[in-house]
Amino acid sequence: MPDSVDAVIELLATENYVCDRRLATALFLSLKLERPLFVEGEPGVGKTELGKVLAQALGTALLRVQCYEGLDVAQTAYEWNIARQMIEIRLAEAVHETDRGKLVRSLYSRDMLIERPLLAALTQPRSPVLLIDELDRADEPFDAFLLEVLAENQITVPELGTIRATAPPITLITSNRTREIHDALKRRCLYHWVDFPTLERELEIVRLKAPGAAERLRVQVVEFVQRMRSLDLFKAPGVAETIDWTQALVALNAVRLDPQTVHDTLGVLLKHQDDIVRMQHGDTVKLLEELRARAVLD
Amino acid sequence: MFAENIVHFSRVLRAAGLTVGPDRVLQAMAAIEAVGLSRREDVHAALSAVMIDRHEQQPIFDAAFASFWRDPKLLEQLMLLALPKVIGRGDLPRPPTAGRLQEALAPPRRAPSEQSPSDELRFDASFTFSERERLQRADFESMTTAEFEAAKKLAAQIPLPIAPVRRRRHEAAPRGRLDLRATLLRMARAPQTLTPAFTRPRIELPPLVVLLDISGSMDRYARVFLHYVHAVGQQHARVHVLTFGTRLTNITRCLRHRDPDVALRLADAQVPDWKGGTRIASCLAEFNRRWARRLLGGNAAVLLLTDGLDRDEGGHLAEAAAHLHRMAHQLVWLNPLLRYDGFEPRAAGVRAMLPHVDRFLPVHNLASLADLGRALSHVR
């Protein structure tokens, strides 16, 4: 376990994750105070990646719950092994078992339980990383269920009793804010808003993730995307899009940005038709002119 | 000394409208202990991770932190000076009863509300049917204040204006999909009999987003409707309300307050542009950009309450309305101007928006609000 904010930054750097000091502080506190970390931000700023990288860096298991509407306990926490229970009942009939209590106990014993990620996160010998991804896509009843798991590190199975954590999981919750998560749940977490990175940090990220690109191109790409985010677009490109775009340009053998190349590859950066149309109507040329004026582009 | 500062700092944040409970203060102390006091930015990051829980609070927090770090004492004095003027969510409004008491004791200029012993307004007990009927037909615009008060009370009893939707979450039911887990539980209890258990998709109300025009021409309607929405919000948790005139304001949190008078007073304090002009196109476009993705998840319905009297300069209104229509599960436009027989969509704004709504309904009296409930009550 890292013992300071700097140690967290170094730890994530070993896995090629560039982490700013604020995020590192929040993460360090979440490890130190054993509180879940609630990470909110625009899509494509590296929220999910953080969970994966953290598990790799700490060398522990990663348990992931991908949220969607209608998610319930059976898909996220545990399920009874119905087939085995059926066989158990048939066996009891075959041997004329009359002790009802004994039958019920054998039907609902621990080894009849199929573990799903949330329960598995509580039964690991070593604290795993539990990544609850895009919680905003799940519905409110799931928030309510999560409360017990996050606050007490335990899950109550009605037929069996309460299962407590052997080693408390390191929990990371991400959300894209397509709905507001209930305050009661947020209160149990530390909160961090992941913003788009600064120019220097984004350049650092692109260097790590797209080593095949020429440095000049990388600078131009990052400058261009940074300026793009200040336009009033419907969905600004995330860091993931910047990396994709750099790789796309490398695949097309581009060595510098020019209107035609940008025009042809806009679909990698922007995912809304309105935004693409807007960029094609002169905004691209305007941004490139700006870069040229600042001598980023030759 | 240092703990005292944290406590004090949390008081500052509370005064600024953040909800900082004692649990967070304790956590903040633990957090500071963990990161140490040597670097200002670490302290800042640590405190903000603990003390805020939504992105909008960051600027408030940053400002408070900056001045506090400079000189806690100075801030304390500033706070004492500013306290009566600070208006925020965290402020304790005057207890509502005080206002009502005053109203009850004052000469009856305005209609007293339900806690006063006046007969004329306890309509549940004493309104005759015909009076009720008359109220339901009266136009909001031409009511006396007493009637207006009563209308607000009635509005709180009208059914919900949303069509329920079928969800993916299942619940126990007499017929439907076989529920093996429950069936087995029954079998374990009585092995000789097989009584299968079933589930079916839950049918429930989707989230509702209300966009309320509060420009001059809409003033009275908007107020009654606000009461109505408050009542709806008390029964149904997922209602978001945004007002727009010359700018867009989210007043959802104000309306969470149980007491309608307090809730509306808080909302009043939040909204800067009551009875001002109207810029529908830019407000809708702003909603689409800033809020739509956050509020329109889960098949949300949108109620748009506006008279559409907008000159639509620039011609962006149709575009914004179309965009909204694509994102909302159902878009219902409530228009008070429909009360005039022979209302023709002559205003450019009305004409621009009309092709992009699912329903276009009148909302100038209470009967029409009830119609609205009926119009929307079948499952979509």
Side-chain angles (χ1 to χ4, degrees), chain A residues 21-22 35 69 71 100 108 139-140 159 177-180 186-187 191 193 234, chain B residues 23 27 42 48-49 53 55-56 167-169 181 185 189 238 289 293-294:
Chain A
R21 203 171 169 87
R22 282 203 55 198
R35 288 249 170 186
E69 192 211 319
L71 202 65
R100 185 68 48 76
Y108 292 107
D139 43 16
E140 282 89 350
E159 299 92 337
R177 272 229 291 205
T178 59
R179 74 177 168 92
E180 289 293 347
K186 279 182 165 181
R187 252 199 45 230
Y191 177 84
W193 171 267
F234 197 75
Chain B
D23 55 337
Q27 249 193 77
D42 287 3
S48 101
D53 59 11
H55 184 46
E56 289 78 27
R167 290 281 175 214
R168 293 188 42 176
R169 184 176 295 281
R181 179 178 169 180
L185 203 55
R189 288 186 187 132
R238 290 178 302 164
R289 261 200 319 276
R293 266 200 300 269
R294 289 171 56 184

mmCIF file of all heavy atoms in Angstrom, chain A residues 21-22 35 69 71 100 108 139-140 159 177-180 186-187 191 193 234, chain B residues 23 27 42 48-49 53 55-56 167-169 181 185 189 238 289 293-294:
data_model
loop_
_atom_site.group_PDB
_atom_site.id
_atom_site.type_symbol
_atom_site.label_atom_id
_atom_site.label_comp_id
_atom_site.label_asym_id
_atom_site.label_seq_id
_atom_site.Cartn_x
_atom_site.Cartn_y
_atom_site.Cartn_z
ATOM 1 N N ARG A 21 -2.077 15.547 -9.175
ATOM 2 C CA ARG A 21 -1.898 15.459 -7.736
ATOM 3 C C ARG A 21 -3.225 15.427 -6.972
ATOM 4 O O ARG A 21 -3.337 14.756 -5.942
ATOM 5 C CB ARG A 21 -1.052 16.650 -7.271
ATOM 6 C CG ARG A 21 -0.378 16.335 -5.962
ATOM 7 C CD ARG A 21 0.639 17.316 -5.502
ATOM 8 N NE ARG A 21 0.952 16.956 -4.129
ATOM 9 C CZ ARG A 21 1.863 16.080 -3.782
ATOM 10 N NH1 ARG A 21 2.586 15.474 -4.704
ATOM 11 N NH2 ARG A 21 2.069 15.804 -2.508
ATOM 12 N N ARG A 22 -4.220 16.127 -7.487
ATOM 13 C CA ARG A 22 -5.507 16.140 -6.793
ATOM 14 C C ARG A 22 -6.141 14.765 -6.770
ATOM 15 O O ARG A 22 -6.641 14.309 -5.750
ATOM 16 C CB ARG A 22 -6.460 17.128 -7.466
ATOM 17 C CG ARG A 22 -6.176 18.561 -7.100
ATOM 18 C CD ARG A 22 -7.403 19.398 -7.301
ATOM 19 N NE ARG A 22 -8.521 18.845 -6.547
ATOM 20 C CZ ARG A 22 -9.783 19.157 -6.802
ATOM 21 N NH1 ARG A 22 -10.072 19.977 -7.762
ATOM 22 N NH2 ARG A 22 -10.754 18.633 -6.082
ATOM 23 N N ARG A 35 -12.311 4.210 2.470
ATOM 24 C CA ARG A 35 -13.606 4.716 2.006
ATOM 25 C C ARG A 35 -13.686 4.507 0.506
ATOM 26 O O ARG A 35 -12.681 4.659 -0.183
ATOM 27 C CB ARG A 35 -13.682 6.217 2.252
ATOM 28 C CG ARG A 35 -13.832 6.560 3.687
ATOM 29 C CD ARG A 35 -15.202 7.105 3.877
ATOM 30 N NE ARG A 35 -15.516 7.245 5.277
ATOM 31 C CZ ARG A 35 -16.732 7.606 5.689
ATOM 32 N NH1 ARG A 35 -17.655 7.835 4.804
ATOM 33 N NH2 ARG A 35 -16.989 7.728 6.956
ATOM 34 N N GLU A 69 -29.740 -0.602 -16.490
ATOM 35 C CA GLU A 69 -31.042 -0.538 -15.821
ATOM 36 C C GLU A 69 -31.583 -1.929 -15.500
ATOM 37 O O GLU A 69 -31.482 -2.845 -16.296
ATOM 38 C CB GLU A 69 -32.061 0.190 -16.716
ATOM 39 C CG GLU A 69 -33.334 0.544 -15.961
ATOM 40 C CD GLU A 69 -34.566 0.544 -16.841
ATOM 41 O OE1 GLU A 69 -34.479 1.016 -17.969
ATOM 42 O OE2 GLU A 69 -35.608 0.076 -16.364
ATOM 43 N N LEU A 71 -30.576 -3.847 -13.085
ATOM 44 C CA LEU A 71 -29.559 -4.670 -12.435
ATOM 45 C C LEU A 71 -30.059 -5.098 -11.069
ATOM 46 O O LEU A 71 -30.593 -4.293 -10.323
ATOM 47 C CB LEU A 71 -28.331 -3.776 -12.246
ATOM 48 C CG LEU A 71 -26.987 -4.435 -12.073
ATOM 49 C CD1 LEU A 71 -26.619 -5.178 -13.327
ATOM 50 C CD2 LEU A 71 -25.957 -3.354 -11.814
ATOM 51 N N ARG A 100 -37.262 -32.113 7.827
ATOM 52 C CA ARG A 100 -37.398 -30.947 6.974
ATOM 53 C C ARG A 100 -36.306 -29.904 7.245
ATOM 54 O O ARG A 100 -35.717 -29.347 6.333
ATOM 55 C CB ARG A 100 -38.776 -30.324 7.207
ATOM 56 C CG ARG A 100 -39.125 -29.150 6.301
ATOM 57 C CD ARG A 100 -39.306 -29.578 4.875
ATOM 58 N NE ARG A 100 -40.156 -30.746 4.780
ATOM 59 C CZ ARG A 100 -41.495 -30.708 4.916
ATOM 60 N NH1 ARG A 100 -42.088 -29.586 5.139
ATOM 61 N NH2 ARG A 100 -42.210 -31.800 4.799
ATOM 62 N N TYR A 108 -29.766 -24.457 1.596
ATOM 63 C CA TYR A 108 -29.294 -23.078 1.672
ATOM 64 C C TYR A 108 -27.995 -22.977 2.449
ATOM 65 O O TYR A 108 -27.850 -22.190 3.360
ATOM 66 C CB TYR A 108 -30.392 -22.188 2.285
ATOM 67 C CG TYR A 108 -31.561 -22.082 1.347
ATOM 68 C CD1 TYR A 108 -32.756 -22.729 1.609
ATOM 69 C CD2 TYR A 108 -31.442 -21.376 0.164
ATOM 70 C CE1 TYR A 108 -33.804 -22.652 0.719
ATOM 71 C CE2 TYR A 108 -32.486 -21.300 -0.729
ATOM 72 C CZ TYR A 108 -33.673 -21.937 -0.458
ATOM 73 O OH TYR A 108 -34.707 -21.861 -1.355
ATOM 74 N N ASP A 139 -30.516 1.732 -11.771
ATOM 75 C CA ASP A 139 -31.631 2.528 -11.246
ATOM 76 C C ASP A 139 -31.509 2.676 -9.724
ATOM 77 O O ASP A 139 -30.693 2.034 -9.089
ATOM 78 C CB ASP A 139 -32.975 1.904 -11.658
ATOM 79 C CG ASP A 139 -32.953 0.396 -11.503
ATOM 80 O OD1 ASP A 139 -32.046 -0.095 -10.817
ATOM 81 O OD2 ASP A 139 -33.825 -0.288 -12.053
ATOM 82 N N GLU A 140 -32.371 3.519 -9.164
ATOM 83 C CA GLU A 140 -32.240 3.860 -7.734
ATOM 84 C C GLU A 140 -32.252 2.664 -6.792
ATOM 85 O O GLU A 140 -31.516 2.663 -5.807
ATOM 86 C CB GLU A 140 -33.327 4.854 -7.310
ATOM 87 C CG GLU A 140 -33.065 6.278 -7.726
ATOM 88 C CD GLU A 140 -33.632 6.581 -9.089
ATOM 89 O OE1 GLU A 140 -34.059 5.616 -9.756
ATOM 90 O OE2 GLU A 140 -33.649 7.742 -9.496
ATOM 91 N N GLU A 159 -31.713 -16.040 3.330
ATOM 92 C CA GLU A 159 -31.809 -17.449 3.724
ATOM 93 C C GLU A 159 -30.614 -17.892 4.550
ATOM 94 O O GLU A 159 -30.601 -18.985 5.113
ATOM 95 C CB GLU A 159 -31.901 -18.352 2.476
ATOM 96 C CG GLU A 159 -33.110 -18.100 1.605
ATOM 97 C CD GLU A 159 -32.836 -17.091 0.504
ATOM 98 O OE1 GLU A 159 -31.903 -16.275 0.653
ATOM 99 O OE2 GLU A 159 -33.563 -17.105 -0.500
ATOM 100 N N ARG A 177 -22.662 10.898 -14.867
ATOM 101 C CA ARG A 177 -23.676 11.901 -14.535
ATOM 102 C C ARG A 177 -24.839 11.928 -15.510
ATOM 103 O O ARG A 177 -25.290 12.991 -15.916
ATOM 104 C CB ARG A 177 -23.057 13.306 -14.503
ATOM 105 C CG ARG A 177 -22.492 13.661 -13.168
ATOM 106 C CD ARG A 177 -22.959 15.014 -12.719
ATOM 107 N NE ARG A 177 -22.396 16.084 -13.518
ATOM 108 C CZ ARG A 177 -22.239 17.321 -13.089
ATOM 109 N NH1 ARG A 177 -22.556 17.632 -11.868
ATOM 110 N NH2 ARG A 177 -21.754 18.254 -13.860
ATOM 111 N N THR A 178 -25.357 10.765 -15.913
ATOM 112 C CA THR A 178 -26.590 10.816 -16.687
ATOM 113 C C THR A 178 -27.770 10.863 -15.729
ATOM 114 O O THR A 178 -28.910 10.992 -16.138
ATOM 115 C CB THR A 178 -26.756 9.598 -17.613
ATOM 116 O OG1 THR A 178 -26.758 8.421 -16.820
ATOM 117 C CG2 THR A 178 -25.628 9.539 -18.608
ATOM 118 N N ARG A 179 -27.511 10.707 -14.437
ATOM 119 C CA ARG A 179 -28.502 11.053 -13.416
ATOM 120 C C ARG A 179 -27.732 11.366 -12.151
ATOM 121 O O ARG A 179 -26.570 10.997 -12.012
ATOM 122 C CB ARG A 179 -29.487 9.902 -13.168
ATOM 123 C CG ARG A 179 -28.899 8.739 -12.393
ATOM 124 C CD ARG A 179 -29.942 7.672 -12.125
ATOM 125 N NE ARG A 179 -29.312 6.459 -11.630
ATOM 126 C CZ ARG A 179 -29.134 6.184 -10.341
ATOM 127 N NH1 ARG A 179 -29.540 7.025 -9.423
ATOM 128 N NH2 ARG A 179 -28.544 5.060 -9.974
ATOM 129 N N GLU A 180 -28.393 12.052 -11.227
ATOM 130 C CA GLU A 180 -27.728 12.351 -9.961
ATOM 131 C C GLU A 180 -27.821 11.129 -9.060
ATOM 132 O O GLU A 180 -28.888 10.566 -8.872
ATOM 133 C CB GLU A 180 -28.407 13.550 -9.281
ATOM 134 C CG GLU A 180 -28.155 14.872 -9.981
ATOM 135 C CD GLU A 180 -26.703 15.335 -9.919
ATOM 136 O OE1 GLU A 180 -25.919 14.758 -9.132
ATOM 137 O OE2 GLU A 180 -26.343 16.268 -10.655
ATOM 138 N N LYS A 186 -23.464 9.021 -1.814
ATOM 139 C CA LYS A 186 -22.286 9.874 -1.975
ATOM 140 C C LYS A 186 -21.661 10.201 -0.627
ATOM 141 O O LYS A 186 -20.449 10.373 -0.522
ATOM 142 C CB LYS A 186 -22.689 11.182 -2.660
ATOM 143 C CG LYS A 186 -22.805 11.067 -4.167
ATOM 144 C CD LYS A 186 -23.145 12.431 -4.711
ATOM 145 C CE LYS A 186 -22.932 12.517 -6.209
ATOM 146 N NZ LYS A 186 -23.256 13.852 -6.692
ATOM 147 N N ARG A 187 -22.510 10.305 0.388
ATOM 148 C CA ARG A 187 -21.988 10.670 1.702
ATOM 149 C C ARG A 187 -20.993 9.646 2.226
ATOM 150 O O ARG A 187 -20.118 9.973 3.027
ATOM 151 C CB ARG A 187 -23.149 10.802 2.696
ATOM 152 C CG ARG A 187 -23.443 12.228 3.091
ATOM 153 C CD ARG A 187 -24.249 12.282 4.366
ATOM 154 N NE ARG A 187 -23.751 11.388 5.382
ATOM 155 C CZ ARG A 187 -24.515 10.534 6.054
ATOM 156 N NH1 ARG A 187 -25.782 10.462 5.819
ATOM 157 N NH2 ARG A 187 -23.984 9.761 6.969
ATOM 158 N N TYR A 191 -15.259 12.128 -2.833
ATOM 159 C CA TYR A 191 -15.719 12.543 -4.151
ATOM 160 C C TYR A 191 -14.584 13.187 -4.948
ATOM 161 O O TYR A 191 -13.822 13.979 -4.409
ATOM 162 C CB TYR A 191 -16.860 13.539 -3.988
ATOM 163 C CG TYR A 191 -17.370 14.104 -5.300
ATOM 164 C CD1 TYR A 191 -18.303 13.405 -6.042
ATOM 165 C CD2 TYR A 191 -16.932 15.330 -5.760
ATOM 166 C CE1 TYR A 191 -18.776 13.920 -7.236
ATOM 167 C CE2 TYR A 191 -17.397 15.842 -6.960
ATOM 168 C CZ TYR A 191 -18.324 15.134 -7.687
ATOM 169 O OH TYR A 191 -18.782 15.635 -8.866
ATOM 170 N N TRP A 193 -13.989 14.919 -8.938
ATOM 171 C CA TRP A 193 -14.427 15.200 -10.300
ATOM 172 C C TRP A 193 -13.193 15.157 -11.194
ATOM 173 O O TRP A 193 -12.240 15.916 -10.989
ATOM 174 C CB TRP A 193 -15.087 16.571 -10.381
ATOM 175 C CG TRP A 193 -15.375 17.024 -11.779
ATOM 176 C CD1 TRP A 193 -14.574 17.792 -12.561
ATOM 177 C CD2 TRP A 193 -16.533 16.733 -12.554
ATOM 178 N NE1 TRP A 193 -15.173 18.000 -13.788
ATOM 179 C CE2 TRP A 193 -16.379 17.353 -13.810
ATOM 180 C CE3 TRP A 193 -17.703 16.007 -12.322
ATOM 181 C CZ2 TRP A 193 -17.327 17.277 -14.819
ATOM 182 C CZ3 TRP A 193 -18.650 15.916 -13.326
ATOM 183 C CH2 TRP A 193 -18.461 16.551 -14.560
ATOM 184 N N PHE A 234 -21.299 19.915 -28.413
ATOM 185 C CA PHE A 234 -22.276 19.132 -27.676
ATOM 186 C C PHE A 234 -21.592 18.070 -26.826
ATOM 187 O O PHE A 234 -21.979 17.817 -25.706
ATOM 188 C CB PHE A 234 -23.250 18.476 -28.655
ATOM 189 C CG PHE A 234 -24.489 18.018 -27.980
ATOM 190 C CD1 PHE A 234 -25.450 18.943 -27.587
ATOM 191 C CD2 PHE A 234 -24.695 16.688 -27.687
ATOM 192 C CE1 PHE A 234 -26.587 18.527 -26.921
ATOM 193 C CE2 PHE A 234 -25.836 16.275 -27.031
ATOM 194 C CZ PHE A 234 -26.783 17.192 -26.652
ATOM 195 N N ASP B 23 -20.362 14.342 10.449
ATOM 196 C CA ASP B 23 -19.575 13.180 10.014
ATOM 197 C C ASP B 23 -18.467 13.603 9.061
ATOM 198 O O ASP B 23 -17.353 13.078 9.101
ATOM 199 C CB ASP B 23 -20.487 12.148 9.340
ATOM 200 C CG ASP B 23 -21.293 12.748 8.196
ATOM 201 O OD1 ASP B 23 -21.473 13.989 8.213
ATOM 202 O OD2 ASP B 23 -21.735 12.006 7.312
ATOM 203 N N GLN B 27 -14.394 13.275 9.274
ATOM 204 C CA GLN B 27 -13.630 12.694 8.173
ATOM 205 C C GLN B 27 -12.554 13.642 7.696
ATOM 206 O O GLN B 27 -11.452 13.230 7.345
ATOM 207 C CB GLN B 27 -14.583 12.447 7.020
ATOM 208 C CG GLN B 27 -14.813 11.004 6.766
ATOM 209 C CD GLN B 27 -15.491 10.867 5.441
ATOM 210 O OE1 GLN B 27 -14.867 10.979 4.390
ATOM 211 N NE2 GLN B 27 -16.785 10.662 5.487
ATOM 212 N N ASP B 42 -2.212 19.720 -1.196
ATOM 213 C CA ASP B 42 -2.682 18.437 -0.678
ATOM 214 C C ASP B 42 -3.828 18.635 0.300
ATOM 215 O O ASP B 42 -4.811 17.888 0.297
ATOM 216 C CB ASP B 42 -1.544 17.688 0.027
ATOM 217 C CG ASP B 42 -0.546 17.147 -0.988
ATOM 218 O OD1 ASP B 42 -0.752 17.416 -2.187
ATOM 219 O OD2 ASP B 42 0.421 16.482 -0.576
ATOM 220 N N SER B 48 -11.342 18.876 -0.170
ATOM 221 C CA SER B 48 -12.405 18.922 -1.167
ATOM 222 C C SER B 48 -12.921 17.511 -1.463
ATOM 223 O O SER B 48 -14.111 17.336 -1.720
ATOM 224 C CB SER B 48 -11.953 19.668 -2.413
ATOM 225 O OG SER B 48 -11.605 18.809 -3.435
ATOM 226 N N ALA B 49 -12.053 16.498 -1.359
ATOM 227 C CA ALA B 49 -12.530 15.121 -1.573
ATOM 228 C C ALA B 49 -13.549 14.737 -0.508
ATOM 229 O O ALA B 49 -14.477 13.973 -0.764
ATOM 230 C CB ALA B 49 -11.364 14.148 -1.539
ATOM 231 N N ASP B 53 -19.685 16.975 -2.702
ATOM 232 C CA ASP B 53 -20.106 15.765 -3.402
ATOM 233 C C ASP B 53 -20.768 16.058 -4.744
ATOM 234 O O ASP B 53 -21.444 15.216 -5.282
ATOM 235 C CB ASP B 53 -20.999 14.894 -2.521
ATOM 236 C CG ASP B 53 -22.237 15.630 -2.068
ATOM 237 O OD1 ASP B 53 -22.483 16.721 -2.620
ATOM 238 O OD2 ASP B 53 -22.936 15.133 -1.184
ATOM 239 N N HIS B 55 -19.939 18.453 -8.533
ATOM 240 C CA HIS B 55 -18.947 19.271 -9.195
ATOM 241 C C HIS B 55 -19.251 20.761 -9.071
ATOM 242 O O HIS B 55 -18.348 21.578 -8.999
ATOM 243 C CB HIS B 55 -18.893 18.851 -10.658
ATOM 244 C CG HIS B 55 -17.853 19.550 -11.444
ATOM 245 N ND1 HIS B 55 -16.569 19.718 -10.990
ATOM 246 C CD2 HIS B 55 -17.902 20.153 -12.653
ATOM 247 C CE1 HIS B 55 -15.884 20.382 -11.890
ATOM 248 N NE2 HIS B 55 -16.669 20.656 -12.905
ATOM 249 N N GLU B 56 -20.529 21.126 -9.001
ATOM 250 C CA GLU B 56 -20.890 22.545 -8.958
ATOM 251 C C GLU B 56 -20.391 23.224 -7.691
ATOM 252 O O GLU B 56 -20.288 24.440 -7.621
ATOM 253 C CB GLU B 56 -22.413 22.729 -9.023
ATOM 254 C CG GLU B 56 -23.024 22.411 -10.360
ATOM 255 C CD GLU B 56 -23.158 20.924 -10.573
ATOM 256 O OE1 GLU B 56 -23.264 20.185 -9.574
ATOM 257 O OE2 GLU B 56 -23.108 20.484 -11.732
ATOM 258 N N ARG B 167 -40.491 -1.185 -16.900
ATOM 259 C CA ARG B 167 -39.071 -1.231 -16.550
ATOM 260 C C ARG B 167 -38.482 -2.619 -16.790
ATOM 261 O O ARG B 167 -39.206 -3.587 -16.980
ATOM 262 C CB ARG B 167 -38.914 -0.891 -15.063
ATOM 263 C CG ARG B 167 -39.203 0.549 -14.754
ATOM 264 C CD ARG B 167 -37.999 1.341 -15.128
ATOM 265 N NE ARG B 167 -38.204 2.776 -14.970
ATOM 266 C CZ ARG B 167 -37.649 3.661 -15.767
ATOM 267 N NH1 ARG B 167 -36.923 3.265 -16.776
ATOM 268 N NH2 ARG B 167 -37.810 4.938 -15.553
ATOM 269 N N ARG B 168 -37.164 -2.706 -16.685
ATOM 270 C CA ARG B 168 -36.538 -4.024 -16.852
ATOM 271 C C ARG B 168 -36.439 -4.787 -15.540
ATOM 272 O O ARG B 168 -36.172 -5.966 -15.514
ATOM 273 C CB ARG B 168 -35.145 -3.858 -17.455
ATOM 274 C CG ARG B 168 -35.209 -3.348 -18.863
ATOM 275 C CD ARG B 168 -33.866 -3.372 -19.505
ATOM 276 N NE ARG B 168 -33.142 -4.602 -19.193
ATOM 277 C CZ ARG B 168 -31.963 -4.895 -19.693
ATOM 278 N NH1 ARG B 168 -31.394 -4.094 -20.503
ATOM 279 N NH2 ARG B 168 -31.362 -6.011 -19.346
ATOM 280 N N ARG B 169 -36.625 -4.065 -14.435
ATOM 281 C CA ARG B 169 -36.604 -4.722 -13.125
ATOM 282 C C ARG B 169 -37.908 -5.487 -12.918
ATOM 283 O O ARG B 169 -38.972 -5.014 -13.276
ATOM 284 C CB ARG B 169 -36.432 -3.660 -12.041
ATOM 285 C CG ARG B 169 -36.302 -4.195 -10.658
ATOM 286 C CD ARG B 169 -36.031 -3.073 -9.690
ATOM 287 N NE ARG B 169 -34.742 -2.435 -9.931
ATOM 288 C CZ ARG B 169 -33.586 -2.954 -9.526
ATOM 289 N NH1 ARG B 169 -33.560 -4.096 -8.884
ATOM 290 N NH2 ARG B 169 -32.462 -2.324 -9.763
ATOM 291 N N ARG B 181 -35.916 -19.016 -7.963
ATOM 292 C CA ARG B 181 -35.452 -18.920 -6.582
ATOM 293 C C ARG B 181 -36.628 -19.005 -5.611
ATOM 294 O O ARG B 181 -36.588 -19.753 -4.637
ATOM 295 C CB ARG B 181 -34.698 -17.598 -6.386
ATOM 296 C CG ARG B 181 -34.203 -17.420 -4.980
ATOM 297 C CD ARG B 181 -33.423 -16.131 -4.857
ATOM 298 N NE ARG B 181 -33.158 -15.833 -3.453
ATOM 299 C CZ ARG B 181 -32.493 -14.766 -3.053
ATOM 300 N NH1 ARG B 181 -32.025 -13.923 -3.930
ATOM 301 N NH2 ARG B 181 -32.289 -14.539 -1.769
ATOM 302 N N LEU B 185 -37.758 -22.047 -2.896
ATOM 303 C CA LEU B 185 -37.960 -21.753 -1.481
ATOM 304 C C LEU B 185 -39.279 -22.394 -1.033
ATOM 305 O O LEU B 185 -39.367 -23.013 0.031
ATOM 306 C CB LEU B 185 -38.010 -20.234 -1.283
ATOM 307 C CG LEU B 185 -37.675 -19.737 0.115
ATOM 308 C CD1 LEU B 185 -36.317 -20.242 0.568
ATOM 309 C CD2 LEU B 185 -37.670 -18.213 0.136
ATOM 310 N N ARG B 189 -39.933 -25.733 1.580
ATOM 311 C CA ARG B 189 -40.837 -25.693 2.734
ATOM 312 C C ARG B 189 -41.883 -26.803 2.636
ATOM 313 O O ARG B 189 -42.317 -27.335 3.653
ATOM 314 C CB ARG B 189 -41.532 -24.334 2.799
ATOM 315 C CG ARG B 189 -40.565 -23.256 3.239
ATOM 316 C CD ARG B 189 -41.253 -21.928 3.444
ATOM 317 N NE ARG B 189 -40.229 -20.902 3.701
ATOM 318 C CZ ARG B 189 -40.201 -19.735 3.083
ATOM 319 N NH1 ARG B 189 -41.102 -19.446 2.184
ATOM 320 N NH2 ARG B 189 -39.264 -18.865 3.376
ATOM 321 N N ARG B 238 -38.529 11.465 -8.500
ATOM 322 C CA ARG B 238 -37.652 11.885 -9.591
ATOM 323 C C ARG B 238 -38.274 12.964 -10.457
ATOM 324 O O ARG B 238 -38.660 12.731 -11.589
ATOM 325 C CB ARG B 238 -37.257 10.675 -10.413
ATOM 326 C CG ARG B 238 -36.313 9.784 -9.631
ATOM 327 C CD ARG B 238 -35.967 8.571 -10.396
ATOM 328 N NE ARG B 238 -37.154 7.816 -10.737
ATOM 329 C CZ ARG B 238 -37.171 6.877 -11.667
ATOM 330 N NH1 ARG B 238 -36.097 6.610 -12.338
ATOM 331 N NH2 ARG B 238 -38.277 6.225 -11.916
ATOM 332 N N ARG B 289 -27.630 21.194 -23.928
ATOM 333 C CA ARG B 289 -26.193 21.004 -23.780
ATOM 334 C C ARG B 289 -25.800 20.624 -22.364
ATOM 335 O O ARG B 289 -25.025 19.722 -22.149
ATOM 336 C CB ARG B 289 -25.456 22.279 -24.176
ATOM 337 C CG ARG B 289 -24.906 22.253 -25.583
ATOM 338 C CD ARG B 289 -23.814 23.281 -25.731
ATOM 339 N NE ARG B 289 -24.169 24.509 -25.042
ATOM 340 C CZ ARG B 289 -24.925 25.456 -25.569
ATOM 341 N NH1 ARG B 289 -25.399 25.313 -26.768
ATOM 342 N NH2 ARG B 289 -25.190 26.557 -24.886
ATOM 343 N N ARG B 293 -28.370 15.384 -20.882
ATOM 344 C CA ARG B 293 -27.761 14.072 -20.681
ATOM 345 C C ARG B 293 -27.828 13.654 -19.218
ATOM 346 O O ARG B 293 -27.823 12.480 -18.909
ATOM 347 C CB ARG B 293 -26.323 14.072 -21.174
ATOM 348 C CG ARG B 293 -26.232 13.584 -22.609
ATOM 349 C CD ARG B 293 -24.839 13.125 -22.927
ATOM 350 N NE ARG B 293 -23.900 14.213 -22.743
ATOM 351 C CZ ARG B 293 -23.557 15.047 -23.711
ATOM 352 N NH1 ARG B 293 -24.053 14.898 -24.896
ATOM 353 N NH2 ARG B 293 -22.708 16.014 -23.468
ATOM 354 N N ARG B 294 -27.869 14.653 -18.332
ATOM 355 C CA ARG B 294 -27.889 14.308 -16.909
ATOM 356 C C ARG B 294 -29.281 13.979 -16.401
ATOM 357 O O ARG B 294 -29.431 13.231 -15.457
ATOM 358 C CB ARG B 294 -27.324 15.478 -16.089
ATOM 359 C CG ARG B 294 -25.856 15.651 -16.269
ATOM 360 C CD ARG B 294 -25.388 16.921 -15.633
ATOM 361 N NE ARG B 294 -25.732 16.980 -14.227
ATOM 362 C CZ ARG B 294 -25.480 18.038 -13.475
ATOM 363 N NH1 ARG B 294 -24.915 19.082 -14.007
ATOM 364 N NH2 ARG B 294 -25.797 18.036 -12.204
#
